[in-house]
Amino acid sequence: MNWRTVRAIAGKDLLEVRKNRLAIWSILGLSFILSVGMPLLIGLLPFDVGPSGGDLGPFEALMTLLPPALQGLPDGARMVVLMLGYFLAPLFLIIPLMVAAIIGAESFVGEKERHTLEGLLYTPATDLELYAGKVLAGAVPSVLAAYLNFTAYAIVVNLVSAHIVGGIWFPTVTALALAVWVGPAVALLGVSASVLVSTRVETFLEANQLTGLLSLVIVGLMVGQGSGLLLLSLPVLLLVGLVIYAVDLVLIRLGAAVFSRDRLMARA
Amino acid sequence: MTQPAILAEGLEKRFGALVAVDRCSFVVNEGEVFGFLGPNGAGKTSTMRMIACVSPKTGGRLEVFGLDVNERPREIKAMIGVVSQENNLDPDLSVYDNLVVFARFFELDRAEAARRADELIEFFGLGEKRDTVIEVLSGGMKRRLTIARALINRPRLVILDEPTTGLDPQARALIWERLRTLRDRGSTILLSTHYLEEAERFCDRLVIMDNGKILIEGRPDEIVSSRMGRAVIETVDDPAVLACLAREGIAYERFGDLVHITTNSPEPLIQRLVSSCNPSRLSVRNATLEDVFLRLTGRGLKD
Ligand SMILES: Nc1ncnc2c1ncn2[C@@H]1O[C@H](COP(=O)(O)OP(=O)(O)O)[C@@H](O)[C@H]1O
Ligand SMILES: [Mg+2]
């Protein structure tokens, strides 16, 4: 495998993505909503910031799972911490997933739509290099986007809640693990899934919708979180990340095996 | 003895039961312009795709610059430039980006890619469109850009599959003119076309294919003179004239509503025809590849 060729392919795909307005605006819009809009909205909700002792209903049990350092806070503050620091955090994984899926859809299916694979056939680039380039083109920006968004999220969260929590408190260890460890795993999941999807569908939109189904993984994480199953624990997050990486590995190898220009062009 | 650019022996391509290329043998020498002529479905594209290492042969031997297409496709691809039958430029990119992006697949560094892109834009007269998205280019410009792109790696062998098909005469002339410059610089050119006049003027040697088989191979003028003689006399297909020709013992062929008589010495024959058969119409012209093709296949090339 020749790295210059791989990089050339990744570069070309990213150039392509930059020209796809739908892709760019989806990524920017989603980022803004998740990293700025949501925390802002929740931070501005009028939680009762009075002393502890109020009835928190179903959340009461969850509250007790918060790290000891945060237990002493008033109910309202604990509520904000719970929402911003824990409930919303998995939702944040949608960013690497979607960015990877959007770029993947653009780079694999877009090529099919534009009939540009034929041209690549005539270059010395191999299928494997092409595939590696495309995986790289999907993975690098989505991890980058995840980190940028995480930083933005952290800033907004502290801006809206530092005064009630009593200082800068985010990111928590678990949120950090989520972003740094689980985020890239999910990005790779988006990339590898879109490769496989692209061998089946014909248009960018179709590919995007199908890969969007992957968000279910994240919804799953949220439900687990909400029901207290997965809450907060670093070991659980590390394990979840590990499992997703393993799935990534399988999917990426599978993708390399099925990815062929001939097959994508459906001719011999 | 220099090594040929392309060597094909008993080359074959099957798609299931269909034999698209049927045991073809030919040699293309370096510096030569070699043409594939034939009607649609003759097997020209299939042959060229095998040479370009994008479609595996199913039989025979095929070497490009002495390298086997099955064993060394990467090295071969690095040495050739291919203009496929369909343009497959990137519609979202500009003229310039199409070239630069493609260059990168041939491991040219950025500066070199940029230099060559501008050089080729100049060479193909696309300067005004340099930063235009290619979607809006005319058919002729797209074709020129596709050819330019195929030259980005300074190929020793350029393969052009119907470079001028579907273009208006002016656009075609422009392309032939550029290809001529390329030829004069010593590039080896392999092309297919069904514009026989253009092929006749442009190719050093050519083959005529039909149904996957090579019917004839040689220099255009030699093919015409050996198969047809120098001239073709055309006259009307009417019973009186046919009877007269038979009576005079003059060999003829009927094509549609015309009768063709081929000859190496048209003048005396015309006098004879006029005095004894008195046809309502008569004309003489030089024999062409089209005539050879008609005779070999019994039909025109554009059918
Ligand atoms: N991918 C393919 N699958 C099946 N048949 C094909 C394929 N490509 C070409 N053919 C058939 O092979 C024959 C030769 O086609 P082609 O090489 O494209 O001819 P030409 O370029 O001379 O028009 C035709 O009968 C065509 O239908
Ligand atoms: Mg063809």
Side-chain angles (χ1 to χ4, degrees), chain A residues 1-2 4-5 7-9 12 15-16 19 106 111 114-126 129-130 261-262 265 267-268, chain B residues 13 15 45 49 52-56 74 77-78 80 82 84 87-94 97 101-102 104-109 149:
Chain A
M1 206 156 68
N2 181 328
R4 278 178 79 161
T5 314
R7 283 216 321 268
I9 288 158
K12 166 189 148 315
L15 184 64
E16 227 54 94
K19 311 252 165 180
E106 163 64 35
E111 198 111 59
R114 292 188 300 270
H115 305 288
T116 41
L117 275 171
E118 165 100 12
L120 294 180
L121 272 183
Y122 298 112
T123 72
T126 62
E129 284 162 358
L130 208 58
R261 285 169 287 194
D262 272 351
M265 295 189 307
R267 63 189 295 184
Chain B
K13 177 74 189 185
F15 295 104
T45 298
R49 286 173 58 86
C53 305
V54 298
S55 166
R74 286 196 85 152
K77 284 176 179 180
I80 66 177
V82 183
S84 58
N87 293 335
N88 41 49
L89 297 163
D90 202 318
D92 296 342
L93 301 184
S94 67
D97 283 343
V101 161
F102 204 72
R104 309 275 294 147
F105 295 126
F106 289 92
E107 298 189 41
L108 298 175
D109 64 43
R149 195 182 63 171

Side-chain angles (χ1 to χ4, degrees), chain B residues 87 137-144 167 171 175:
Chain B
N87 293 335
L137 298 185
S138 71
M141 287 175 173
K142 281 186 189 155
R143 207 60 185 145
R144 260 141 62 203
L167 301 180
I175 287 180

